[in-house]
Amino acid sequence: MSAAPSRQRNGVPAVNIETALKEAMGIEGAIGVALVDYTSGLTLGVLGGGQTMDMNIAAAGNTDVIRAKVRTLEMLGLQDGIEDILITLDSQYHLIRLLQNKRHGESFFLYVSLDKTRANLGLARHQLRKIERDLDV
């Protein structure tokens, strides 16, 4: 799958999305990346994945993860926001970074799948924070 074309898509500047996805794919060990609106479940763009991972299916599944965690925090009465969620598999890291968008709320997340043998988890988290700062969703 490819990133959104360089035009407006659902009112979102696709050039920024495409740039963010390309930067995320530049993270050492990246297998695939998606930008997702977790309130609607819409995937705004994906890159990578290939035959080993369908990024649209992965994005949809991780939408459920985010929704469950947000619901849990609400039930607990915690006021903390979610920075990121890490899922560790035998051979991969799945890193979910919630985007803190002051104008449009906090309904977007970046999801990146990383090859565990090649990725530096600390550096990947740092790079996703930078991508988040630069992205205007």
Side-chain angles (χ1 to χ4, degrees):
M1 309 252 22
S2 63
S6 59
R7 65 180 194 285
Q8 292 285 325
R9 183 176 182 178
N10 297 332
V12 178
V15 172
N16 283 344
I17 292 171
E18 186 173 354
T19 300
L21 294 174
K22 285 179 181 177
E23 287 178 11
M25 279 303 294
I27 296 171
E28 183 68 30
I31 297 168
V33 62
L35 177 65
V36 185
D37 178 346
Y38 75 81
T39 56
S40 68
L42 291 175
T43 302
L44 302 176
V46 299
L47 275 181
Q51 294 181 352
T52 60
M53 176 167 294
D54 184 323
M55 293 307 293
N56 286 305
I57 292 172
N62 284 299
T63 296
D64 293 336
V65 170
I66 296 292
R67 289 176 180 165
K69 192 60 186 175
V70 167
R71 239 184 351 265
T72 301
L73 290 175
E74 288 171 356
M75 289 188 299
L76 291 170
L78 295 176
Q79 300 302 313
D80 284 341
I82 300 169
E83 186 174 330
D84 57 36
I85 296 173
L86 171 65
I87 299 168
T88 305
L89 305 179
D90 292 337
S91 64
Q92 297 176 8
Y93 293 122
H94 291 204
L95 190 53
I96 304 166
R97 174 83 187 178
L98 269 72
L99 304 182
Q100 308 298 317
N101 190 320
K102 307 270 189 277
R103 274 189 300 169
H104 302 292
E106 299 174 2
S107 64
F108 299 102
F109 69 89
L110 271 170
Y111 163 70
V112 64
S113 173
L114 301 163
D115 179 323
K116 200 172 178 182
T117 62
R118 295 183 12 227
N120 177 321
L121 190 53
L123 186 55
R125 291 182 71 221
H126 173 74
Q127 289 172 301
L128 284 180
R129 276 192 298 273
K130 182 189 177 309
I131 292 167
E132 173 188 10
R133 269 193 318 268
D134 298 340
L135 181 62
D136 184 24
V137 180

